[in-house]
Amino acid sequence: MDRLEAMRTFVSVVNEGAFTRAAERLGHSPQLVSKYVSQLEQRLGSRLLNRTTRRVSLTEAGRVYYQRAQQVLAEIEEMESQLGDLQHSPRGQLRISAPVSFASRHMAGLLGDFRKTYPQVQIDLHLNDRRVDIVEEGFDIALRIGQLQDSSLIARKMAPINLAWVASPDYLQAHGTPVSPEQLADHQFLKYSYSDDSLLFGKGGGALVQQHGISCNNGDVLVEAAVQGAGIALQPTFIAGSAIAQGKLVTLMPEHTPAPMGLYAVYAHRQLLASKVRSFIDFMDGYYGSPPVWDQGLAETGG
């Protein structure tokens, strides 16, 4: 028995949820797939899968083996990819998903500089603030902002993302300046629709800011609304930084600002990491500086 092929077959059965679908993906017959898994179980002396006529499920031993097998296969693919990169330069189409506001403000220069260095890589950039399924939707890389939860994906931090409470001077003159989150109940809050209140305010803290003057799934709109005096916003400085630096917005409650988030490059570790993907991630790492360019100069303005 080819142990590596048996391992790949077992992982494919688990990922596909059925022997027949795994056979189609691997280009094997269902009988050969079943034979590989049975031989693997016999060699290990443990049942890895519970089989029914409709589906398969992992046993306790199967769960342990599946996790380790994924890691082993990913390491082998990574090693082969690195060896292949010694002979092949990055090329082909690179599909990237990125948040709307961040990409429109800060990615044009990055992509232009990357293309100058790697002219044989074509960029296909899609802007969307929803959390895409990079495997199902065919993306090589997804850029995500937040505090990432546990995932089967690989995430590499590209830059810190700081948040700031902001409001216009006119709004604060008319409505007063809050000094704690508890006082936000007396103000108009400009809410980002996709934000997780439990991460921003702590458990139950979202109840403090239920008076949403405006709720929107785009931070640029909320920052401009704050500039126009519509209320108080909690926004990343890569959006609000220029308005803060120009004096159009004032930062509030610095001691109550949520912990920084991160800008992450996320990719699927089960896929062979192509040279074009690794080159882009390495190129982006450190590109924005430390502190990142959007935060440089804010200290002088009190941001």
Side-chain angles (χ1 to χ4, degrees), residues 188-200:
Q188 295 295 316
F189 181 59
L190 310 178
K191 177 178 172 60
Y192 179 58
S193 304
Y194 294 148
S195 64
D196 185 340
D197 287 346
S198 66
L199 294 177
L200 299 180

Side-chain angles (χ1 to χ4, degrees), residues 10 18 31-32 80 83 92 96-97 126 128 136 177 182 212 234 237 246 281:
F10 168 73
Q31 293 79 12
L32 181 58
E80 293 176 346
L83 292 175
I96 303 172
S97 172
H126 293 247
N128 200 316
E136 289 293 327
T177 302
E182 288 75 15
H212 302 150
L234 178 64
T237 52
Q246 296 170 36
I281 293 173

Side-chain angles (χ1 to χ4, degrees), residues 269-298:
H269 76 277
R270 287 191 298 270
Q271 298 176 339
L272 185 65
L273 189 59
S275 176
K276 61 184 179 181
V277 176
R278 182 181 298 105
S279 297
F280 182 83
I281 293 173
D282 290 342
F283 189 89
M284 188 177 184
D285 191 7
Y287 179 86
Y288 294 110
S290 180
V293 62
W294 51 82
D295 283 344
Q296 294 172 15
L298 288 186

Side-chain angles (χ1 to χ4, degrees), residues 58-278:
L58 287 167
T59 64
E60 182 178 359
R63 282 193 295 271
V64 174
Y65 187 83
Y66 174 69
Q67 292 173 353
R68 292 292 296 127
Q70 282 186 304
Q71 295 173 4
V72 170
L73 292 174
E75 290 171 359
I76 292 173
E77 290 175 350
E78 177 72 11
M79 176 186 65
E80 293 176 346
S81 178
Q82 290 176 351
L83 292 175
D85 285 345
L86 295 176
Q87 298 178 341
H88 302 287
S89 61
R91 64 182 67 242
Q93 186 183 77
L94 183 66
R95 298 191 76 233
I96 303 172
S97 172
V100 177
S101 294
F102 181 83
S104 60
R105 288 171 173 265
H106 301 291
M107 284 193 69
L110 167 71
L111 298 180
D113 290 342
F114 177 78
R115 285 272 297 139
K116 291 176 184 177
T117 305
Y118 300 102
Q120 292 182 305
V121 178
Q122 297 82 45
I123 302 294
D124 182 16
L125 177 65
H126 293 247
L127 305 188
N128 200 316
D129 287 333
R130 69 179 175 85
R131 186 168 290 252
V132 301
D133 186 322
I134 65 175
V135 175
E136 289 293 327
E137 299 180 47
F139 288 105
D140 297 299
I141 300 171
L143 300 183
R144 292 178 179 169
I145 292 173
Q147 296 162 327
L148 294 191
Q149 307 299 310
D150 290 339
S151 170
S152 61
L153 303 175
I154 298 297
R156 184 164 161 183
K157 189 174 182 179
M158 298 287 108
I161 299 295
N162 293 302
L163 298 167
W165 295 101
V166 294
S168 71
D170 289 344
Y171 176 87
L172 297 176
Q173 183 175 3
H175 301 281
T177 302
V179 296
S180 69
E182 288 75 15
Q183 295 180 6
L184 290 174
D186 300 323
H187 290 269
Q188 295 295 316
F189 181 59
L190 310 178
K191 177 178 172 60
Y192 179 58
S193 304
Y194 294 148
S195 64
D196 185 340
D197 287 346
S198 66
L199 294 177
L200 299 180
F201 307 107
K203 187 175 181 181
L208 301 173
V209 290
Q210 290 304 308
Q211 189 176 355
H212 302 150
I214 298 173
S215 179
C216 181
N217 65 350
N218 181 268
D220 284 292
V221 172
L222 296 176
V223 167
E224 182 58 30
V227 169
Q228 298 299 323
I232 297 174
L234 178 64
Q235 283 293 305
T237 52
F238 72 77
I239 300 178
S242 60
I244 296 171
Q246 296 170 36
K248 296 179 180 179
L249 291 176
V250 177
T251 58
L252 313 170
M253 303 182 292
E255 65 275 17
H256 297 289
T257 300
M261 299 185 293
L263 170 67
Y264 294 89
V266 179
Y267 56 96
H269 76 277
R270 287 191 298 270
Q271 298 176 339
L272 185 65
L273 189 59
S275 176
K276 61 184 179 181
V277 176
R278 182 181 298 105

